[in-house]
Amino acid sequence: MGVLRLQLPTDPRWVNIVEKNIEEILTDHAWCEQKAATNAITIITNNSEHQDLVQDLLALAKEEIDHFEQVHNIIIKRGLKLGRERKDDYVNELYQYMKKSGDGSRVSGLVERLLFSAMIEARSCERFKVLSENIQDEELAVFYRELMESEAGHYTTFITYARKYGTGIDVEKRWREWLAFEESIITNYGKGETIHG
């Protein structure tokens, strides 16, 4: 899958499931954006000595909150409701893998968090592409096309900083391991009306 290097593409028939419950996909998507902003702030909080990382992740967090607002505005415009935050099993599996994978050092912790973040952005980007190319709703097709490009930029930001600050770590090898792990779990997803579900 090109630059994202994901090992397993999403079946386009997933969009048929999504289209049966637009309110659910929009609610889930809104909360994904909120969590992405929170994640960026967490990385800043734990690594504030890296000025360039702080600046770039501040911009990224603002963009994620802006996306949250955009999704919320679509929900309001359509007379739908933003439901409660949804549990994201896919992200939780990645999180558990991240927690078990670091060696306890600050550098390893940062690299793992950045690769965890890059993985989520890569899959979200791929899902937005599938939505933009297959959903019948023209407004959402355009919307997801625009967000796909933004998510690709976020993915690049996280990978770039993992390489920059991963002193003593073979980041490329570690990323290949992340890609292999993601391939092993993604087969369980793509069956629900959520961004990663």
Side-chain angles (χ1 to χ4, degrees):
M1 271 173 281
V3 70
L4 299 175
R5 293 169 60 191
L6 295 171
Q7 305 299 297
L8 204 61
T10 296
D11 186 330
R13 289 175 297 181
W14 165 69
V15 178
N16 300 334
I17 298 166
V18 166
E19 287 177 319
K20 290 174 185 163
N21 197 343
I22 294 295
E23 186 169 28
E24 180 62 26
I25 188 77
L26 290 174
T27 284
D28 182 72
H29 178 194
W31 290 116
C32 284
E33 299 291 356
Q34 177 271 320
K35 285 178 233 180
T38 301
N39 179 60
I41 296 295
T42 299
I43 295 171
I44 289 168
T45 302
N46 294 331
N47 302 278
S48 55
E49 68 275 19
H50 301 306
Q51 188 178 46
D52 53 352
L53 179 135
V54 170
Q55 288 179 302
D56 284 347
L57 290 197
L58 274 172
L60 188 149
K62 287 178 189 172
E63 200 168 289
E64 300 289 20
I65 285 297
D66 181 57
H67 292 168
F68 180 97
E69 184 179 23
Q70 287 179 51
V71 179
H72 191 233
N73 287 341
I74 291 171
I75 289 169
I76 293 168
K77 180 179 160 191
R78 293 177 177 225
L80 305 173
K81 282 202 173 82
L82 174 65
R84 302 293 293 173
E85 183 184 349
R86 306 297 196 251
K87 184 180 172 194
D88 192 327
D89 292 327
Y90 167 80
V91 171
N92 287 337
E93 283 199 63
L94 294 179
Y95 184 79
Q96 291 306 318
Y97 179 68
M98 173 187 71
K99 276 184 70 174
K100 293 174 194 160
S101 298
D103 66 11
S105 70
R106 287 197 77 230
V107 171
S108 174
L110 174 57
V111 168
E112 287 303 309
R113 189 74 184 217
L114 291 168
L115 295 182
F116 161 78
S117 305
M119 193 79 261
I120 296 167
E121 295 288 351
R123 182 55 71 181
S124 297
C125 178
E126 189 261 355
R127 288 280 165 97
F128 290 166
K129 182 175 190 290
V130 172
L131 279 167
S132 72
E133 292 174 348
N134 295 282
I135 201 163
Q136 298 301 308
D137 187 310
E138 277 189 39
E139 179 189 28
L140 292 181
V142 171
F143 179 61
Y144 281 112
R145 178 80 197 177
E146 290 168 358
L147 288 199
M148 176 195 81
E149 292 164 8
S150 176
E151 300 297 297
H154 295 172
Y155 155 80
T156 302
T157 296
F158 288 124
I159 286 283
T160 300
Y161 278 113
R163 289 179 177 138
K164 180 171 184 177
Y165 289 118
T167 308
I169 295 171
D170 187 341
V171 175
E172 179 56 33
K173 176 175 178 284
R174 188 69 197 114
W175 181 236
R176 285 196 301 271
E177 291 166 359
W178 268 96
L179 289 165
F181 177 75
E182 201 266 355
E183 181 185 13
S184 76
I185 66 167
I186 198 63
T187 52
N188 301 319
Y189 299 95
K191 303 171 183 83
E193 59 276 272
T194 59
I195 295 299
H196 303 122

